[in-house]
Each structure stands twice: as C-alpha cells, then as structure tokens.
Amino acid sequence: MNAKVDPTQCIGCELCVQLCPDVFGMEDNLATVIVDVIAPDLEAACRDCASQCPVSAIVLSE
Ligand code: SF4
C-alpha cells in the first residue's frame, strides 16, 4: 500500500504524524509521506489516519 498527502488540502494538524510516525512526517508545516511503501503491519494504522484526517487529505492506494 502507498500513501500520499494532498498538499492543497492538508492543514498541518499533525494528527497523522502522531498516529503514524513511521509513515508521516512534517515538512514546511504540511504532512508528507516518508516511506515509499507502507509496511503491512502499519496498514491498519494508516487507514485510521486517512479516515481521521479532518480534511481527507490522505489518499491510500493498493
Ligand atoms: S491529518 Fe490530514 S490535515 Fe492533519 S497533518 Fe495529516 S494530512 Fe494534514
């Protein structure tokens, strides 16, 4: 699974970084994905991030 953050939507709340620090980081006050491929054991947490992002800026793809 891969994740992307839409920089035009992200409001920099850092929720995804707190929930999934091994996948998301902050850069210029916006979230960014720091891995190419999400490890299988982190996929469930990433789905939580995507569903809890207040502006639906996280896009997951298989
Ligand atoms: S949870 Fe959403 S809005 Fe908040 S930092 Fe992450 S991608 Fe941006």
Side-chain angles (χ1 to χ4, degrees):
M1 189 164 80
N2 298 305
K4 289 183 181 169
V5 173
D6 182 346
T8 68
Q9 296 291 321
C10 178
I11 56 172
C13 72
E14 299 192 24
L15 178 67
C16 58
V17 180
Q18 292 169 13
L19 292 176
C20 247
D22 292 330
V23 175
F24 299 97
M26 296 300 289
E27 190 175 305
D28 296 332
N29 295 319
L30 297 176
T32 186
V33 178
I34 58 175
V35 293
D36 290 333
V37 177
I38 297 167
D41 60 333
L42 296 176
E43 288 186 357
C46 277
R47 288 196 175 91
D48 280 348
C49 288
S51 65
Q52 291 187 45
C53 173
V55 292
S56 299
I58 299 171
V59 180
L60 302 176
S61 58
E62 298 297 333

